[in-house]
Structure formats: C-alpha cells, structure tokens
Amino acid sequence: MSHPTPANTPAAAAATADAAKPSNFLRQIIEADLDKGTYAQRRWAGSPGDAAHHAAGTPDPAKIRTRFPPEPNGYLHIGHAKSICINFGLARDYGGVCHLRFDDTNPEKEDTEYVNSIIDAVQWLGFDWSQSGNDKPYQASDYFDFMYRAAEYLIEAGHAYVDEQTIEQIRTNRGDFSKPGVNSPYRSRTPAENLAKFREMKAGEHEDGSMVLRAKIDMASPNINMRDPAIYRIRRATHHHTGDTWCIYPMYTYAHPIEDALEQITHSFCTLEFEDQRPFYDWLLERLTEGGLLASPPPRQYEFSRLNLTYVITSKRKLAQLVYDHKVSGWDDPRMPTIVGLRRRGYTAAALQMFAERIGVTKSDSWIDYSTLEGCLREDLELKAHRGMAVLNPVKLVLTNWDETMGAGHLEPCSLPALPHPPEGTESPVRHFTIGKEVWIEREDFEEVPPKGYKRLFPGNKVRLKGGYVIECTGCHKDATGKITEVLATVVPDTKSGTPGADSVKVKAAITWVGVADGVPAEVRMYDRLFLDAQPDAGGKDFIESLNPNSLKVVTAIVEPSLANAKPDDKFQFERHGYFVADRVDHKVGKPVFNLAVGLKDSWGK
Ligand code: ATP
Ligand code: MG
C-alpha cells in the first residue's frame, strides 16, 4: 500500500505547527501543553501497556499522541473524515503520532469487512499510523486482560461493587436531573464479597443481565454519569477476536479511558456528546494512576462539535439501513456520504482534507452547507482534471455542404489542450479528435424559434463547434410527432480553430460536440442529492420519507475518444457540464461508465 504523504512519524514531523494553518482551540490546548511540558516526562515502551511496561521504555519520541478509535460496525463517513483529519492532522503538525484503534469492546456488531474498509479509508485519505515497532492498528479487545485487572483493583480499593438489582431497579434508583439517586442495597458489600461475586461473573456462574459491576462514586452527583456507572456486564457473546474467552465485557465508558491510557495518548479528542462523560473519564484514570496501574500523567479528553452536513446523514446505523433496505446500491453507492461512496463519486482525498481544514473545529454544534463540500472538490479538480467534450442529450447535426467543401468521407483531425491552465513551466497534454460530416450536439443547443437572447443554433445563426469550425444553421428535420431528428447546418471553410483564418467570421457562441465517426457511447450516471430535506433525520424524523426519487438518472452520452480511454477513477471536466469520474467499479475501456461528481459553479452561457 502506498503512503502518499510524509509518514505520520515524529521524525517526519519534526517541524513545528504549520504557521499557515489557522489556529483553533485544540491547537491552543496542544501548544499550551507543549509549552508547559505537560507530557515531556512520558515514556513509551514501543507498544501499549501499563505503568510498569512504559516505565521500562524510553522517553517518548512522539511529542503528543492522539488516536482515531472507530467501532468496526460500519463504513466510515464524512463525519469520520473530519475526525481523522483532526486526529492525524494534529499529530502530524505537532511532531506526534496518531494511533488507529479499533474500538471492538462490544462483541456483537463487529465484522472484518468493516475493519478492512476502515484501514483502506484512513490510508486513502493520506494518513498513516506506522511508527517504530508498530505498524499494525491497535485493537481495544487486546486490553481485556488489563481492564479486568483494573476492575479487580477498583473492587479491592473500595471503588467498585457488584450490584444485583434488576436493570429496571438500577434505572429507577439512578434518579434524574431533578432527583438524586438512591443507593443500591448492594453498595455496602465488602471488597472481599465483591471480588468473589465479580470472579463468579467472570467464571460464567451467573445469567446475562443478572448483575453488573458498578463504580462506587456518588449517587447524588448532579452529573448522572457519576451516579455509580456500570463498568462490566455479563454478556455471553462470541467476540471476533477473543472468541468465547469472556462472558463479561467492559462498558464503553470504562473501556475507552483505559484504552487511551494504555496507549499513552496525551490528547483524546472526541465529539461533544461525550462531554458529560469527561468527569468519569478523569475519575477512573485518577484512581488507576494513583493505584500505580497506569502511567502518569493520564490522557485528557477534549470535545469538539461533530459534523452535521445538510442533505446528509452521518450515522452508521442509519446508513446501514439504507444499504440493507436497498435504498442505495451498497456502502459505496456514489450518493452515500461514506468515504467509499464519496471516493466512487469522484471525491479526492485532497478535497476531503481541504473540507476538514475549511470547516475547522469549534465547540458549538452547527450545520455545514453541502455546497462547502462541493466547493472543495471543484477547487481541487479545477486545475487537475483533464477537459473533454461529452454530449449528454445528443441530437445529430449534419453539415450539408461537407462533401463538396471538405471532400466526401473526409475526417479532419482537431485538437484541444486537456488543461487550460497547466502547472507553471509545463505544457498541457493534447486531446485529439476528428470532425466529419456528422456530429453530435446537445439537443438544447438548437431552437427552431430562438427565445430572446439565445446565441446558439437557430436558422440563420452562426456558432463555432468548439475546437472545430464555424457553422451556420440552416434548419432541421422532424419526425411525425414534431420531435427534431436532425439539425442541419453548413460548414464555413477556412475557419478551423487554431488556423490563421479562424477569426475571419465572428460568432457569439461556441458549442460542445462530439464527432459521429469517433464519438463513443458512454453510460453517464447523473447523481443528485439523496434527500430532499436539508436535515433528513433531525428531531427524530423518518429520513426514508425524504429520499429523493430522482437522485439518479442514467443517460447514454457520446464522449470524445480521450474520455472513452479513461482508466477507472480518472476524473474529468466534461466541458460545460461539470466534473465526472470514470466509475471505479463498472467502467471498462470499450464500455465507459461515468459518474457526475459535481456540477460546474457557473452554468453554461445563454
Ligand atoms: P456513528 O453514529 O456513525 O456510528 P460513532 O461516533 O458511533 O458514529 P465511531 O466509530 O464510534 O462512530 O466513531 C469514531 C470516531 O469518529 C469518534 O471519535 C467519533 O467521535 C468520530 N465521529 C463520528 N461521527 C462524527 C461526526 N459526524 N463528526 C465528527 N466526528 C465524528
Ligand atoms: Mg459509536
């Protein structure tokens, strides 16, 4: 696998923060910690582990450690791309390392298909977690042994107890915002009793759901998350890594801080919904560092606002529903906001990185307009994508004087630059195509009776066939229903683009076209937004109801030879229509398939 950007290693990132990047509150936090040397004394043993493990290591060469911790229960989406760019980007910018960690503590939902797709997505976005002594992603299930040991420690230190209340009783006794909780009758058990019970839980002597291990904190805390949260539950489920070794599993809120600490994470960035969990995060790590189990200083959690994008759903569960209910063709359907979907749609890693940069990080929830994302793709492709002509709604144009003026059957070679603005000091590649007696033009480029201001083809008007000749429209043929079957025109000899006589006849418009002789039919998938509602799932709305019935229209276009020879994933600007990508799944040489990635900002002239 290739890693196009400099490796995310301390050595490669020796440079300090890129001064060109606008600051934000996460950068300020990191810079303050670097100034104060908060983490300067940390050691790193080359792999995750407890306090003793790291103490035996060397001073950590990484100035900071961040992590991206997806649960492998679906494909990553544009919201995750934001999180990836933040975590990997900040580590890179500050001489740190970002860990990719699969948060696979929940035994039920994980799948290796998802694991592989996540690895692909992170690498495709241009990031890399390799570092000396470790080139594999981490997985939280590797820490189950430690988590269990930490739980026994908490019990022995009087910080945890086994509760045998029913789930219902626990819920009721937790209280609510206006009412303090009520202590469980099991709360005052001795550490020895709790330890024995907990070991019975582990040994499989109790039913699923019959008891839980709870942290012993404060049932009257104003923060409900501090009212003795459950930290271990009994769950007989086969885990995709640990199999049937365990019948008890740690709760996410218990597992996550421990995962961070074992990996010597310094800054644990997450989305705002975890803000209320922070006191427990800190409480737990304080207990385990004071007990000498985990290295000090512990990681700190900081929250930023999640990405909400108009017309888009960013919930793996809801995206899964679209896939399983066949509302889309799969996780990589080009209308999906998944990274695989965006990629197939024609999005580039550079465009997604630009998007993450541009939306920045804040602490308040807001909605980002979908056009911001589209703007980033346009900006990236504007200078890179080769131009080409494609006729999406073709009607044949016959040059009735071709045979007399140019010669019967003659095909005149034409060419245009593929890039209007090639990089400094380079020349644009050239596209070659031919013009003959018959060409395809867009149906909308001919009007028998032109509306006011219309500058394209109508009887008596002259236009230029882009890169070809000036032609003069003479009329059209229609079928019995009145539908236009052929547009008729005459070619004006000696006006070929790029020849000395080209400017001898002035015209007000140039239209796109493709020769009948060398044009190639192509399937073009015209995608539109998947939802009609700007906030399809806000406020518990049923997002299925706002699915756009016209989010995909397939047309047979005629494309010029340079487009027909595209390789899968090649991106083009179809002149006047927008940016298109050769579909990475279905496109074949000889059977081209293109997806509309994004339209052009400026619509075609009058
Ligand atoms: P989903 O609800 O789609 O499953 P999640 O938050 O449960 O999302 P995880 O796999 O647990 O998905 O997330 C991995 C990381 O990505 C977390 O740190 C999470 O905060 C972040 N993340 C997920 N969705 C977004 C979003 N919309 N904007 C920013 N970050 C996000
Ligand atoms: Mg989740």
Side-chain angles (χ1 to χ4, degrees):
M1 233 155 292
S2 69
H3 303 299
T5 55
N8 175 32
T9 58
T16 43
D18 183 342
K21 285 186 183 153
S23 189
N24 60 48
F25 77 99
L26 299 181
R27 289 181 176 276
Q28 285 161 12
I29 288 164
I30 294 171
E31 285 163 18
D33 280 329
L34 291 175
D35 278 353
K36 284 184 288 190
T38 313
Y39 297 100
Q41 304 306 314
R42 281 160 48 260
R43 302 179 79 81
W44 170 249
S47 58
D50 63 9
H53 177 74
H54 287 302
T58 57
D60 192 348
K63 293 203 173 69
I64 62 168
R65 286 184 187 267
T66 59
R67 85 289 172 266
F68 174 65
E71 204 180 327
N73 62 349
Y75 281 72
L76 299 184
H77 52 61
I78 181 78
H80 295 111
K82 171 179 176 175
S83 180
I84 291 169
C85 290
I86 289 173
N87 283 295
F88 282 91
L90 289 174
R92 175 195 60 206
D93 290 351
Y94 290 98
V97 165
C98 180
H99 299 186
L100 174 62
R101 178 203 310 150
F102 293 107
D103 212 322
D104 60 353
T105 51
N106 185 347
E108 278 127 287
K109 292 182 271 177
E110 284 99 22
D111 193 315
T112 39
E113 176 194 350
Y114 299 138
V115 168
N116 293 334
S117 78
I118 290 169
I119 291 174
D120 263 6
V122 174
Q123 289 180 330
W124 177 74
L125 274 172
F127 297 108
D128 181 2
W129 51 86
S130 58
Q131 52 195 271
S132 60
N134 180 75
D135 54 2
K136 281 200 304 223
Y138 295 127
Q139 52 196 33
S141 55
D142 283 343
Y143 312 144
F144 280 161
D145 283 330
F146 179 87
M147 290 173 190
Y148 179 82
R149 173 155 74 94
E152 287 209 345
Y153 165 77
L154 291 176
I155 293 171
E156 286 169 335
H159 296 310
Y161 62 99
V162 173
D163 194 352
E164 292 181 54
Q165 294 183 103
T166 63
I167 291 168
E168 196 44 51
Q169 285 167 331
I170 290 179
R171 191 175 301 134
T172 315
N173 290 337
R174 192 180 292 135
D176 55 32
F177 289 110
S178 55
K179 208 170 69 201
V182 176
N183 283 354
S184 163
Y186 301 95
R187 199 174 194 266
S188 49
R189 277 175 157 162
T190 64
E193 283 175 288
N194 283 314
L195 196 57
K197 274 282 171 209
F198 187 51
R199 288 179 177 170
E200 286 170 23
M201 281 172 62
K202 178 181 181 241
E205 290 171 27
H206 299 285
E207 293 294 300
D208 285 18
S210 60
M211 53 188 72
V212 292
L213 183 68
R214 296 178 76 175
K216 190 172 181 176
I217 310 177
D218 178 7
M219 289 304 290
S221 170
N223 182 340
I224 294 178
N225 297 297
M226 295 297 273
R227 295 182 188 172
D228 294 6
I231 60 181
Y232 259 96
R233 63 194 167 132
I234 307 173
R235 181 85 192 86
R236 284 172 178 78
T238 303
H239 188 280
H240 75 140
H241 274 132
T242 58
D244 294 320
T245 309
W246 298 92
C247 66
I248 56 171
Y249 287 95
M251 305 298 286
Y252 178 82
T253 48
Y254 172 77
H256 196 84
I258 293 178
E259 295 159 20
D260 284 348
L262 291 171
E263 293 180 17
Q264 285 285 56
I265 300 302
T266 55
H267 300 81
S268 178
F269 300 123
C270 62
T271 39
L272 280 174
E273 63 269 26
F274 294 100
E275 195 169 8
D276 290 345
Q277 297 288 356
R278 186 170 5 107
F280 178 69
Y281 186 103
D282 291 339
W283 178 92
L284 178 63
L285 294 185
E286 270 167 40
R287 298 293 78 75
L288 297 177
T289 49
E290 79 195 6
L293 278 78
L294 289 173
S296 205
R300 290 268 175 194
Q301 172 183 306
Y302 306 93
E303 308 86 19
F304 63 89
S305 66
R306 60 184 286 120
L307 170 67
N308 296 309
L309 192 59
T310 57
Y311 299 100
V312 163
I313 278 177
T314 47
S315 151
K316 273 183 260 154
R317 184 179 56 79
K318 291 174 188 168
L319 294 175
Q321 190 183 333
L322 294 174
V323 173
Y324 297 126
D325 291 353
H326 303 289
K327 303 295 184 198
V328 293
S329 65
W331 287 100
D332 68 348
D333 186 301
R335 292 164 294 183
M336 288 284 269
T338 50
I339 295 177
V340 282
L342 290 163
R343 183 177 176 186
R344 192 170 169 192
R345 180 72 176 264
Y347 273 82
T348 57
L352 296 183
Q353 286 189 22
M354 192 192 304
F355 175 68
E357 217 42 77
R358 197 157 289 176
I359 59 178
V361 275
T362 63
K363 259 191 121 39
S364 58
D365 266 319
S366 64
W367 284 78
I368 303 291
D369 205 86
Y370 194 75
S371 62
T372 308
L373 178 63
E374 291 192 319
C376 292
L377 182 58
R378 267 190 216 107
E379 205 170 312
D380 184 42
L381 293 183
E382 161 73 26
L383 294 175
K384 293 184 196 161
H386 284 195
R387 271 48 170 180
M389 290 194 284
V391 177
L392 299 186
N393 185 12
V395 65
K396 194 178 278 181
L397 173 108
V398 181
L399 296 168
T400 52
N401 66 339
W402 183 268
D403 290 353
E404 306 95 85
T405 54
M406 312 296 294
H410 177 69
L411 292 177
E412 177 69 19
C414 302
S415 63
L416 279 174
L419 293 172
H421 311 288
E424 280 258 335
T426 68
E427 291 218 1
S428 168
V430 177
R431 306 134 52 188
H432 297 280
F433 45 93
T434 63
I435 184 166
K437 183 179 175 131
E438 295 182 332
V439 302
W440 298 107
I441 61 167
E442 295 289 347
R443 218 162 245 290
E444 65 178 42
D445 284 352
F446 172 76
E447 292 284 353
E448 215 178 350
V449 183
K452 198 162 178 288
Y454 191 81
K455 298 194 181 81
R456 289 168 273 165
L457 288 170
F458 56 88
N461 195 37
K462 291 194 186 78
V463 302
R464 172 172 295 283
L465 293 177
K466 198 168 179 195
Y469 290 86
V470 171
I471 60 168
E472 176 169 356
C473 184
T474 54
C476 66
H477 288 160
K478 294 188 225 176
D479 66 11
T481 67
K483 186 178 177 190
I484 291 160
T485 52
E486 272 179 4
V487 177
L488 306 173
T490 55
V491 60
V492 183
D494 303 325
T495 56
K496 187 180 165 189
S497 295
T499 64
D503 290 340
S504 60
V505 182
K506 296 278 175 236
V507 291
K508 294 211 174 79
I511 64 169
T512 53
W513 59 280
V514 174
V516 168
D518 63 1
V520 178
E523 177 176 332
V524 177
R525 299 169 180 172
M526 303 294 289
Y527 290 107
D528 197 356
R529 52 184 57 135
L530 191 52
F531 295 100
L532 294 171
D533 190 330
Q535 301 184 0
D537 60 345
K541 272 183 284 190
D542 180 4
F543 56 95
I544 299 293
E545 278 176 18
S546 64
L547 276 170
N548 176 4
N550 300 313
S551 59
L552 169 59
K553 220 174 75 202
V554 180
V555 303
T556 301
I558 312 287
V559 303
E560 65 168 75
S562 68
L563 299 180
N565 291 328
K567 291 188 298 303
D569 263 342
D570 281 354
K571 289 143 193 99
F572 297 94
Q573 186 191 104
F574 287 7
E575 293 187 53
R576 84 192 264 186
H577 291 300
Y579 293 98
F580 290 76
V581 61
D583 188 75
R584 57 199 313 267
V585 178
D586 298 328
H587 173 88
K588 309 252 167 356
V589 174
K591 192 189 161 293
V593 180
F594 291 95
N595 301 326
L596 170 62
V598 63
L600 294 176
K601 195 174 280 161
D602 317 306
S603 55
W604 187 247
K606 294 253 164 60

